[in-house]
Amino acid sequence: METRRGARMVIDPKVRQVGFVTPGSELGRPAAPEPPGAAAPVPVVANSPSPVIIPLLLIPDTSSLRTTPLPVPSPPSRRVVAAPPADDSMPLGSYNPSDAILGSSQGSSERTGNNDKHGSAPTDSLADMSLSNASTLAIRLEGLNVTNDGISNVLSTSTVRSAVAAAPTSVEHAFQTSSGQGIIGSVPAVSVDMAAAANPQADPRPMPLKDRTSKAERRAIQEAQRAAKAAAKGVGTDIAAIADGNVANEVKSSKPSSQKKGLSEKKPAVFSDKKPVVSSDKKPVVSSDKKSAEKASEKDKRKDIPAPRMQFDDEQRVAKAKRRSLIEQTEAKNRVELFRHLPQFLHGTQLPSLESKFFHEDPLHPHPSVFQVGLQYLTREIVGGNARCIAMLMAFRDMINDYSTPMEKTLVRDLTAKINSHVSFLITCRPISISMGNAIKFLKTRIASLPVTVSEFEAKHSLILEIDRFIQEKIVFADNEIVKHAVTKIRDGDVLLTHGSSCVVEMILVRAFELGKKFQVVVIDSRPRLEGKGLLRRLLGKGLHCTYTHINAASYAMQGVTRVFLGAASVLSNGTVYSRVGTACVAMVAHALGVPVMICCETYKFHERVQLDSICSNELGDPDALVEVHGRKDVYSLRGWADSKHLHVLNLMYDATPADYVSMIITELGMVPPTSVPVILREYRKVPYVM
Amino acid sequence: MKSEEEISRRRGEVSGAVTYEWLTQAEAARFHKDPDNFKPLRASSLVGQQQQRLSDEREGLFSVIDEFNLWRSKPELAEAVAAIKALTAVIQRSEATTMMGLEIDLKKASEALKAWDETSISLSAGCDLFMRYVTRTSALEYEDIVAGKARLIERGEKFGEISLKARQTIALLGKDFVQDGSTILTHGCSRVVLALLKLAASNGKHFHVICTEGRPKNSGVEMANQLLSAKIPVSLIIDSAIAYTMEKVDMVLVGADGVVESGGIINMIGTYQAALVAHSMSKPVYVAAESYKFARMYPLDQRDLPLAPCYVHFPGALPESVIAEVSTRDYTPPKYLTLLFTDLGVLTPSAVSDELIQLYL
């Protein structure tokens, strides 16, 4: 990111902030090497010959003037030393003001003083983790050798076991969290490396409760910009092209992500001499044009393809979703600007409401199995892509087993709707992974393709068979095949490195060990979940020779490593590997040192999407997990951070590894280069995933 | 179920007709002339086959390796094609009464072939490819074995035909990359490269070829001789002069023993080095390879290759304790290759995997 931005700076300093910049950081964002003294921003900006003419309806007012400092580059030192006046942040605040409504709704008051309660949670979580791993592994392993009826027992047995096992820990944990929910609450925010966090000016006060510029307004602005661009063609320089191109692109996407929204609004600030920021003070001006624009936007909305994902900075949608949602959850307060489009709820707020509803006799109530799985997701009792997917499918299997079509309804439609509601329930527990999405898609396709004439019993039976087959073929057998392929790449004397805890990689290592290959394993782990510990424990139990280190030491540990094996949550069609956070770092280090990086991933986790960064789609973990250091009660410098307006803690769950760093992807279909992911998607999704 | 007699009769029909037809096509493809011109060869090969067959039947056994060697002895026939011919013969002789049985027979034969020469990539690629065809065909679930067999044999023949035409196709596709007045560096002796260069020369292109010596087998010298006989100007350099010469080279053109899944190639030792030098001097590296050389392998580094050792003569007396590196081929990663000329078209390295996946999966 840094280099990318740097490159842009070279092209033109004015474009530099188009990238992923948190509004807070923008203030102090160091850019072109201008002397600190050059901070007198207004004249500079006024002189800059922006080709984009100001749309007439956006008359620059004081707020625009206030924003003008933005484009002026300042050296890094200035960020710390010379903090801009507090009101500078105002226009930035308008960036996404409406979110503050949700953000400040509640939970802020309880947060104080509760922090200590949370202390024990991480301690438990490790125990939980191992438990969960054991139980999930049990699910997987049992799945290995069972047939249809065997599988049906898998979940029941394993869940019983996990329930029993988890009773002392997780339930307790649950209560604990429920009592201390306020603190566990996630108010994720910009991590320290996002320079903004350090800048006290980033967010001097909570977002003011003002109307955020609606879609229509933004559209109006963009329309105007486009017109301006058309007028200014010919004169237009590269910047214009780039800038407007960006704007246009964003307009096209029916539901721009928050970041995009931010961009399109920020852009005026970037080219600030012409395009004033649309902040609330300007609202009347815009609203004059609102009606017509709204009409147009309505039309466009229908025309455009539906948004792929829920964007959590879309106020209306969030409200709608909230109404439908079974779980009451509280949005986090100090949300990270860059990740506003992702759900950021206070962790722990969901559990009590769920628990209270457990014995409800509500027709809309989720099936007990699904409910249970949801709870297990919530408490992180089931983690790992395969385990989560299998658990979900088994729960749906139970649900289908108990399903009976209501009067005057058809099975196909009603069951699909039912699955949809269950899925949205699961999403509220924890955002579903891409692999689960694929599995759901598969199931829905199967339901939709049921012949109308088939009886309910037969339909249910065939669906259950399909689910079993999916688990067997796509997960269990696939893993076996991957292990077979991967083992051929392990030679005697190898030093293998892995990151986190991937069940496939574990199977590979164990299998290679069983085959008598002589090799060493380096387990790289990362905070806060320290999943590598579980892997390490199991490997050591098998008698493997292991080295354990944290990701900070990756570049050192990489020396002497001959192969890197990594798991993946998903592989996207441009070869990008979407995986547990830290994977990209490990892959990059390996690439730099010329160590081949092998990604082990079942093809059911492949996805057609293209993703270039880890921002547009990700999952945010509990920020408190970063604050607490396991086993170090004396480290408490960040306690009570939630009350600080200036600190955002960001706990990302996934990251995207560019295909350049990946030597090969090991799938059940063989070893393929990352460039072949679209081929596999094309060749294999034809049959099972016909929509 | 058909009677045994009928099956054998049918088989005779099928094999007779198809063999004749295949040979016609194959030779036509080879010589680009009408089938009449190669009567002697056809006759002789048929006679040879017949004799072989007779002797086998007398002895009651049939060796796929002998068959393979018989085919391989033909000068223009590549190893993979010979392997497929041999496997087709296995089908013709198979006594299996089910498709499953036939598949098992074939599998045994191909394993035997592969085991016979473990180092040959194109041999194993050819076997794999044919086995793939067979399994795909048997997946169609023919009602009776006869139809299935006929279909398989047809496929085998078709494959041979396609493979033979491949070289011509590649030459046709690749010749346009040879520019008038250019200098081409080539490494090792490849029939495809030779065909390509010859075709380009016969199309009136004037170019200069630099051949490396190609130790340890001195294959470069042979290549230079062949080029000279086609009246193409050649200069010969020692293998270590590649970097020295590279600045006057316009493109590097090499053949391949095998093209692997990553899009990289396995070729005579020194290709990697040539590609590296060319890459660092921004010269294009082209590879001419038939699609039957595409192998389902994915070497990560040089040590991942199956070793193909060969006696290397080092001049002068060597003490016993000196360890001589005897590998004769190396793996060139795809990032150093510009394009591959194949009979499937001119491909980028990343497209190889696409083709492989479609072929094998």
Side-chain angles (χ1 to χ4, degrees), chain A residues 518-679:
Chain A
K518 299 192 171 33
F519 60 92
Q520 292 179 37
V521 182
V522 180
V523 179
I524 296 250
D525 211 349
S526 58
R527 287 201 66 229
R529 295 193 62 80
L530 297 179
E531 287 161 317
K533 278 189 178 176
L535 175 72
L536 184 74
R537 193 179 303 133
R538 290 189 294 274
L539 290 183
L540 287 176
K542 290 270 189 327
L544 277 83
H545 190 294
C546 297
T547 309
Y548 177 82
T549 183
H550 273 206
I551 199 161
N552 317 40
S555 68
Y556 171 75
M558 198 61 76
Q559 298 165 14
V561 169
T562 55
R563 300 268 189 273
V564 175
F565 282 96
L566 297 170
S570 179
V571 180
L572 309 176
S573 67
N574 58 345
T576 299
V577 175
Y578 184 69
S579 188
R580 176 52 45 97
V581 68
T583 303
C585 173
V586 171
M588 192 162 67
V589 173
H591 178 78
L593 294 179
V595 182
V597 178
M598 283 170 278
I599 303 288
C600 309
C601 184
E602 301 87 352
T603 50
Y604 86 97
K605 290 178 177 172
F606 285 20
H607 200 272
E608 297 85 351
R609 192 197 298 164
V610 167
Q611 197 171 318
L612 300 174
D613 54 46
S614 331
I615 297 167
C616 56
S617 163
N618 211 321
E619 188 185 333
L620 298 175
D622 181 1
D624 276 317
L626 288 185
V627 174
E628 306 280 345
V629 179
H630 173 63
R632 289 287 301 274
K633 295 267 190 248
D634 53 321
V635 179
Y636 52 84
S637 49
L638 282 181
R639 293 240 171 106
W641 63 274
D643 297 322
S644 161
K645 309 262 173 12
H646 312 313
L647 178 61
H648 305 266
V649 179
L650 177 66
N651 181 8
L652 277 182
M653 297 291 278
Y654 296 100
D655 63 15
T657 310
D660 304 345
Y661 300 147
V662 179
S663 313
M664 75 161 60
I665 296 171
I666 304 178
T667 72
E668 69 264 30
L669 305 170
M671 295 172 277
V672 297
T675 49
S676 289
V677 175
V679 183

Side-chain angles (χ1 to χ4, degrees), chain A residues 159-190:
Chain A
T159 46
V160 165
R161 202 184 312 142
S162 67
V164 170
T169 50
S170 71
V171 171
E172 225 173 52
H173 174 67
F175 280 116
Q176 221 160 19
T177 44
S178 61
S179 61
Q181 44 174 293
I183 6 112
I184 300 165
S186 70
V187 190
V190 172

Side-chain angles (χ1 to χ4, degrees), chain A residues 391-427:
Chain A
M392 180 192 73
L393 284 174
M394 297 309 281
F396 281 156
R397 193 179 181 280
D398 285 358
M399 186 196 85
I400 290 171
N401 216 354
D402 298 344
Y403 173 82
S404 61
T405 318
M407 295 296 281
E408 296 171 1
K409 283 193 177 170
T410 57
L411 179 131
V412 171
R413 292 205 176 176
D414 188 54
L415 192 55
T416 311
K418 206 154 188 219
I419 284 191
N420 280 341
S421 73
H422 280 76
V423 167
S424 59
F425 163 76
L426 289 178
I427 291 175

